[in-house]
Amino acid sequence: MHSDRHTLFQKLWEHYLTVTPSAKDIHRLLGGTQGQAIVNDHIALRTFNLDPVRLDRLAEHFRVLGYQRGGEYHFDAKKLYARHYEHPDPTAPKVFISELLVDQCSPTLQAIVGDLVAQVDPAAVDADDFLYSGAHWSIDEATYRTLLEESEYAAWMAAWGWRPNHFTVSVNALEQYTTLASVNEALKDAGYRLNDSGGEIKGSPEVLLEQSSTLADEADVRFRDRTARIPSCFYEFAKRYPDKDGKLYGGFVPASADKIFESTHAAGR
């Protein structure tokens, strides 16, 4: 496991960019003429609730770097459980990790996912590069499509494996934009399509968090039988508001996160 937080996040960012090239362009767009550094609010990772790749095992990579457990979240319709982790250093990005509750899915999905996870070497899960190591198996496109019919999340994992599902621009830290709505307008003016499931802006100042996101980029996946272009990863934008103590809210809003998951859906493109 990485001994240095900055190295881990840099590696995660580099691997994210390989299938999310729009993120680099969005940096330039939001950084303005002065090229302001973009602050990362949080990253998100996906996994399955099966040994040896459960949420807790992924979280260990951050716990050894000083991260502490934050809130937990349930997404019953999507059969997902999630937790977020925070670092005592408030400038460190938060980490949101979700897992598919495979045991709640159909026997078909359970069999496919069980077969995929059985191919993961348990020792690999502790390796420095596990969180950006991709898929540890090969599947054919028909298997991907079978998963897609039941769970977009499972299909995404089968195709992409372990890598950041998204990074998130902290709107609070931007110099040129003060509202999430103004960020969204700049993105749309530049030709980006936003996830409008539940509205372009999810959340509100009342729940202390507003979020929006692009629709995922598309990238080539080499299935066993052919190469296909499918949704990869997306970029999120978050504006946080102070709580009653004047401290910026550090958690997540389940109703909003539920809709953010849909940024990797292929429907409606």
Side-chain angles (χ1 to χ4, degrees), residues 50-99:
L50 299 175
D51 292 326
V53 299
R54 293 176 185 273
L55 187 160
D56 285 339
R57 290 292 297 275
L58 272 63
E60 195 58 35
H61 286 264
F62 299 98
R63 280 202 287 258
V64 298
L65 300 174
Y67 274 80
Q68 296 159 0
R69 182 172 164 169
E72 64 175 8
Y73 312 91
H74 300 270
F75 305 96
D76 295 337
K78 291 182 172 68
K79 301 181 171 70
L80 302 174
Y81 170 75
R83 271 195 227 127
H84 92 267
Y85 293 81
E86 296 182 51
H87 196 276
D89 175 356
T91 67
K94 296 169 183 59
V95 177
F96 185 91
I97 309 175
S98 57
E99 63 183 2

Side-chain angles (χ1 to χ4, degrees), residues 55-207:
L55 187 160
D56 285 339
R57 290 292 297 275
L58 272 63
E60 195 58 35
H61 286 264
F62 299 98
R63 280 202 287 258
V64 298
L65 300 174
Y67 274 80
Q68 296 159 0
R69 182 172 164 169
E72 64 175 8
Y73 312 91
H74 300 270
F75 305 96
D76 295 337
K78 291 182 172 68
K79 301 181 171 70
L80 302 174
Y81 170 75
R83 271 195 227 127
H84 92 267
Y85 293 81
E86 296 182 51
H87 196 276
D89 175 356
T91 67
K94 296 169 183 59
V95 177
F96 185 91
I97 309 175
S98 57
E99 63 183 2
L100 180 67
L101 305 174
V102 179
D103 48 313
Q104 295 183 14
C105 299
S106 72
T108 300
L109 185 146
Q110 290 186 46
I112 294 170
V113 171
D115 178 58
L116 298 180
V117 172
Q119 298 175 57
V120 179
D121 176 358
V125 183
D126 297 323
D128 274 6
D129 67 349
F130 181 70
L131 299 179
Y132 46 88
S133 61
H136 290 236
W137 49 70
S138 68
I139 62 166
D140 56 31
E141 191 185 8
T143 305
Y144 167 77
R145 300 286 170 200
T146 298
L147 291 173
L148 195 56
E149 283 175 24
E150 180 176 346
S151 167
E152 185 276 333
Y153 185 107
W156 188 93
M157 273 300 301
W160 296 112
W162 288 278
R163 63 177 66 234
N165 170 257
H166 63 268
F167 273 69
T168 309
V169 172
S170 168
V171 175
N172 298 73
L174 293 175
E175 290 166 9
Q176 285 196 291
Y177 302 89
T178 54
T179 66
L180 185 54
S182 63
V183 169
N184 287 350
E185 287 309 310
L187 291 164
K188 288 189 290 187
D189 287 347
Y192 293 100
R193 293 184 59 195
L194 300 183
N195 167 1
D196 58 7
S197 176
E200 284 181 0
I201 294 179
K202 295 102 172 79
S204 65
E206 290 69 39
V207 296

